[in-house]
Amino acid sequence: MSSIERTIETPKDKQNRHKAMEAIKVIKSIKDDFKSPIESMNYFYDLFERVYCKNEPLHEGKTKVGTMCIQIPSEIIYALDGVPIRLCNGFYTDDEIGSDLLPQKACPLVKATVGHFASNNFTDKPDIVFSPTTCDQKTKAGAIIKNFGYKVIDVDFPRTKDSEGSREYWRKSIKQFAVELSKFKNKKLTKSNLEVSIKKIGYAQSLYHKLSEYRKEENVPILGLDMFLITNAFFFDKIDSWIDAMEVLLKEMRTRVDEKINVAGKMSPRIVFTGSPPIFPNYKIPLIIEQSDALIVADETCSSNRMFNDMVAVDEWNLYDMIDSISDKYLKACTCPIFTTNEDRIRRIIDLVKNYKADAVIYQAFAGCTVYEMEQRSVLEAMEKAGIAILYIESDYSPSQQGQLSTRIEAFMESLKSRKRKKK
Amino acid sequence: MSNLKKKINNMNLVRFRFWFQIVAFLLIVYGGYIGFDLGDKLPTFACVYNGDFTGGKCYLGMLQHDLNHHWETFLGFAGYAFLISLGMFMVWFWLLNKAWCGFVCPLGTMQDWITAFRKKLKIRFSQYDWSSRAKIKSIKWILLILLLIIPVMISNSIFGLPTLPNGLSMPFCDICPGRMLIPAFTGNFSQFYIDFSSKTEIVMTTLGMIIVGLFLVGSFIKKRFFCYFCPMAALQYTFSKPALLKLYKDGSKCTKCGDCYRACDMDILEIADDVTSKNLVTEDCTLCLKCVAACPEEGCLEANFAGKTIFESTKEGFIIRMAMDKKGELSEQH
Ligand code: SF4
Ligand code: SF4
Ligand code: SF4
Ligand code: SF4
Ligand code: SF4
């Protein structure tokens, strides 16, 4: 026998192999388990496969600016010739690595993010990381990552958003952020480069809005899972490729709507998804929902809708007003649970239910995410008052417990369907 | 019809207002020249001191004049005349509500021009902090009360106080920047003077000069600087509830993003933060509709005339106005 090359699998290879397995399993499910697949979604399936299974870097030669939450303005990063990479992580493999470094009960998202950094195994390694002080765990994670030797810069984020003080405070933080990045890149932020990048991101967001419009149709042409892929791709994709893919997708959607193609059934419950963010490949709950003959028609999460909903609005297109507008966009409209009150979030969920003619809300909280867990009660009460059915689910990244969750979700869907039938 | 609606909702409000204000300015400041006359009960600063040129006259000037009578005459003919004048003023006002300020008032327009000039120079505007902003609100009411009481006190003794000198018969006109600035546009600079005929006149006309200076400098620094103190705005607001033109908000659609607030020249916090009221025409609002144009939420803010929506916030309109409807290229590299 010829000598078989005996390679010992390094920890990195093992990590990559496990992650690829996680990734491909989810991509396959989305691709194959549902009826009426969308052709132009292949761009996104391929993208995730390229990045997470084949470890293909997308931004070689560019400055990669890592962000730990949505509050770091991509507008400024692009204007300074960087590429924003959102590092919120959804891999169970990384979650397990992170578990050794963080408390048992920590949020899986944070554990996975820290685990990813600990492994120092990136296809597009961030050159600098900005960490907004949002939830406690993210805040502390920034410091832990810094200890691994990465260049991490904290960006002060206030915990209230209605006061004059918090607005000013955040505007200052954003200016400071711009200064830091500008120094790092050795490039000046100007009226013209910022204006162009605001409009570019605005355009990308407008495409998301157009796509969302189709989800209001009676025959919904796209799965919630596909939507999560599309929005998650924005974490790391080349913005121009993303835009091109969206333009193609929108054309296909138009014809699908004209042909009345429905990815679910006539009686399938329409769901608004909220709570802890589904981040690829942790689509555990959305997968169960859509495999239970229900359809996610809208979401209120920071990994998806919240990234696109609010666009920067500028009154005077000069640098001073653009920067303030950007700051306000990331603070004022944000419905993050780390803020003291959550009325804005509740109003938003109810509005989504109304606009997307949803039958119910599903609220996911990661075990360990205190803020989403704590907000649960007030959201449940508000939904009850508004007569909206809601299911609260605690979940994590582990592949176990699948059966128990399916049973609960299926039962919920059955009750929604029988209610729907009675109405008819 | 729905096409027209879409066109309106997608319009470039800034441009529309710019031209509307120019036309209104021309009619009010030069209209008399071509025989245009809207009467003398206008809810806007169409200044009487502009003589034959003016295309209508300001009710605030009229009002001070009307109030300078003895009690007895008020019970008779002067009283009726006063009520009829006030009624006429209200009818004019109800037509446009505070949009007289956002679209017609020559003083408002001048301030917007000064703002445009500042913008060109890329100089940042200033803002009051919130507590000062709240305190300032009362000044226009104090001015309004003074301009109502002083003329009455010239002809009448109130609470046994001595009557006021005749030099105060038009107390607000003395200090109104309109008196000097509006005629200046027709080449008439005769109002730039200090009257040495009496102590009262010296004080009042000097004050007037100072206020014109403040008006010019102030509105360069602060958008609509003068409007924050304007007694006309206070008088208008007293009658605002039944007006035909309204600014409505559907709070359930509001994300409190604050885009409207940032666009608002009057720094009206409620426009973003109030999610329960329907009528959002607040005391300082000029119904300029900039907030509607800046709101990205479908149907959240709207201008409504007599129950009909005439212009409302839409996503599409927002995207077009922000020039986010085209792909564009990032500078240099991409
Ligand atoms: S899910 Fe909760 S704990 Fe985890 S990062 Fe988000 S806010 Fe923080
Ligand atoms: S001076 Fe002012 S208040 Fe008096 S009439 Fe002229 S514009 Fe009106
Ligand atoms: S507030 Fe006064 S000065 Fe300002 S636009 Fe209105 S009437 Fe004119
Ligand atoms: S712009 Fe619209 S959505 Fe935003 S705060 Fe104002 S009214 Fe609310
Ligand atoms: S609230 Fe709206 S209409 Fe009123 S002044 Fe402000 S921007 Fe103009």
Side-chain angles (χ1 to χ4, degrees), chain A residues 225 273 282-291 296 362-364 366 393-396 405 409:
Chain A
L225 284 161
F273 190 96
N282 171 43
Y283 290 173
K284 198 156 94 175
I285 305 294
L287 252 171
I288 302 177
I289 294 172
E290 299 207 317
Q291 281 165 343
I296 298 171
I362 290 191
Y363 188 131
Q364 149 170 284
F366 290 148
I393 295 171
E394 208 183 271
S395 91
D396 53 26
L405 285 169
I409 291 172

Side-chain angles (χ1 to χ4, degrees), chain A residues 62 78-79 81-83 161-164 167 171 175 187 191 193 196-200 202-203 206 209 213 216 239-240 243-244 247 309-318 320-321 324-325 328-329 332-333 344 347-348 351 354-355, chain B residues 14 115 118-125 127-131 223 250-259 261-265 269 273 275 290 294 296-298 315 318-319 321-334:
Chain A
K62 308 240 31 163
Y78 280 121
D81 197 13
V83 185
K161 58 172 177 169
D162 288 333
S163 69
E164 182 179 23
R167 189 197 291 257
R171 284 179 174 183
K175 275 178 208 142
K187 188 180 160 99
K191 169 181 152 66
N193 62 24
V196 171
S197 90
I198 288 177
K199 287 179 177 167
K200 177 118 196 176
Y203 178 67
S206 80
H209 282 291
E213 278 305 302
K216 292 181 182 166
I239 185 162
D240 285 312
I243 286 173
D244 293 342
E247 283 171 341
N309 190 62
D310 304 289
M311 290 163 277
V312 176
V314 185
D315 186 38
E316 295 186 5
W317 289 91
N318 284 321
Y320 54 80
D321 202 27
D324 283 355
S325 307
D328 284 8
K329 181 224 143 171
K332 299 301 286 181
D344 294 348
R347 228 178 23 260
R348 177 108 190 97
D351 189 49
K354 241 196 301 181
N355 275 331
Chain B
V14 176
T115 294
R118 173 188 52 74
K119 253 197 257 184
K120 277 254 145 55
L121 298 179
K122 299 189 183 165
I123 294 172
R124 199 191 197 297
F125 52 84
Q127 269 178 316
Y128 296 109
D129 60 58
W130 289 2
S131 65
K223 292 184 252 185
D250 180 347
S252 70
K253 294 176 175 161
C254 175
T255 60
K256 275 180 143 180
C257 65
D259 293 353
Y261 164 76
R262 214 162 347 89
C264 179
D265 294 345
L269 264 178
D273 288 355
V275 289
K290 277 178 81 184
E297 294 300 322
E298 206 76 24
K315 268 197 182 117
F318 172 90
I319 287 164
R321 281 186 286 272
M322 292 295 154
M324 290 170 173
D325 53 337
K326 276 169 228 84
K327 185 172 172 182
E329 277 315 311
L330 289 173
S331 49
E332 306 113 28
Q333 68 298 175
H334 287 263

